[in-house]
Amino acid sequence: MESKSKAPQGVYTPAACLVDPLTESNCYILTSGSHALLIDPNNAELIIPYLETHGLIPEYIILTHEHCDHIRGLNDLRAHWDVQVIASQACSDGIQDTKINMTRIMESYLYFKSNGKLQVSYPKFTCAPADITFAGPTFNFTWQNHQFHFIWVPGHTPGSMCTIVDNTVLYSGDYFIPGEEVITRLPGGDDDAYQHTGKNILRTLPVPIWTYPGHGLPFTLTQEVKTNYGL
């Protein structure tokens, strides 16, 4: 399924948001001519046909964090194209571990989350390390004249990060998902890190800012939204 939405005028928006039907995670595809950059490669069976149909060559993949519903297509995409993966160092470490990336428990997680309605096979997997990593609080990157500012935000996972593009758009990963609280009880989650570090970082994010979350539809992050999250 492909989801599209309307953003404020003048904002650099994704060409597409591909939604994984199983986990409802979002993959954002940013383009410049035939060049493409992906954020969270959730499902190769959706992503590869989209790229090929539109004549796009993926050059970079950004990972918002290490959970499997956001990286399940990574290995297949790397097999098809010579892409560079960007992530925090902790995220790069986590995608190499079946416990931290959640594949060890994903079948059970989906079963209980659906109240027993969803019984699927979700094989365990790991991914090779990211090609470009950062261990500090922030990292800057330029692609096709667009400025990317990565901000490490621990709590949901050790490697979670938010990304601000051109100072006008926020990719929040699994923070600020509409209608959901921040989850810190999944593998790698750390409520203490979220309360004492993550929240302080999220408080510094600029508002208002057009926001694309890891699940759900885009929205404008406002101070009111922050307040509702205790920020």
Side-chain angles (χ1 to χ4, degrees):
M1 181 173 77
E2 181 180 336
S3 119
K4 297 191 177 186
S5 57
K6 193 164 184 173
Q9 188 174 5
V11 169
Y12 177 53
T13 59
C17 171
L18 304 181
V19 183
D20 177 39
L22 180 62
T23 64
E24 299 181 336
S25 61
N26 295 331
C27 171
Y28 297 105
I29 300 178
L30 283 63
T31 61
S32 177
S34 62
H35 307 276
L37 177 150
L38 280 58
I39 299 178
D40 286 351
N42 57 3
N43 186 328
E45 293 179 0
L46 298 176
I47 298 168
I48 292 175
Y50 181 92
L51 295 174
E52 292 180 339
T53 298
H54 291 83
L56 296 170
I57 304 298
E59 298 173 335
Y60 292 93
I61 294 174
I62 293 171
L63 306 181
T64 63
H65 64 292
E66 53 268 47
H67 281 162
C68 55
D69 52 328
H70 297 265
I71 65 169
R72 187 163 67 94
L74 181 57
N75 289 337
D76 286 339
L77 287 166
R78 278 174 151 170
H80 274 72
W81 289 285
D82 182 20
V83 293
Q84 297 284 293
V85 178
I86 305 173
S88 70
Q89 183 60 57
C91 175
S92 179
D93 294 340
I95 65 176
Q96 303 174 65
D97 186 302
T98 59
K99 177 180 179 181
I100 300 300
N101 73 17
M102 272 188 65
T103 55
R104 193 180 297 181
I105 67 161
M106 196 60 176
E107 291 179 8
S108 298
Y109 173 75
L110 292 172
Y111 176 80
F112 286 109
K113 186 178 180 182
S114 68
N115 294 316
K117 296 178 182 177
L118 191 59
Q119 300 184 49
V120 296
S121 173
Y122 204 105
K124 292 185 288 186
F125 69 85
T126 60
C127 300
D131 303 285
I132 301 171
T133 62
F134 67 100
T138 63
F139 180 71
N140 295 319
F141 168 76
T142 301
W143 176 75
Q144 297 295 317
N145 294 318
H146 294 287
Q147 306 302 312
F148 291 73
H149 181 58
F150 304 118
I151 307 167
W152 172 66
V153 188
H156 179 63
T157 67
S160 290
M161 72 176 184
C162 292
T163 302
I164 297 176
V165 181
D166 295 338
N167 296 313
T168 58
V169 178
L170 170 67
Y171 292 88
S172 63
D174 276 3
Y175 293 112
F176 301 121
I177 296 174
E180 293 190 16
E181 63 179 7
V182 174
I183 298 175
T184 59
R185 61 183 178 273
L186 296 175
D190 187 335
D191 192 63
D192 185 67
Y194 176 65
Q195 296 296 333
H196 295 95
T197 303
K199 277 189 170 183
N200 289 333
I201 297 169
L202 293 175
R203 288 187 182 102
T204 69
L205 294 177
V207 291
I209 188 168
W210 187 244
T211 300
Y212 291 97
H215 301 261
L217 297 174
F219 65 97
T220 299
L221 177 65
T222 63
Q223 186 54 53
E224 181 180 4
V225 174
K226 283 189 178 184
T227 299
N228 291 339
Y229 279 93
L231 304 174

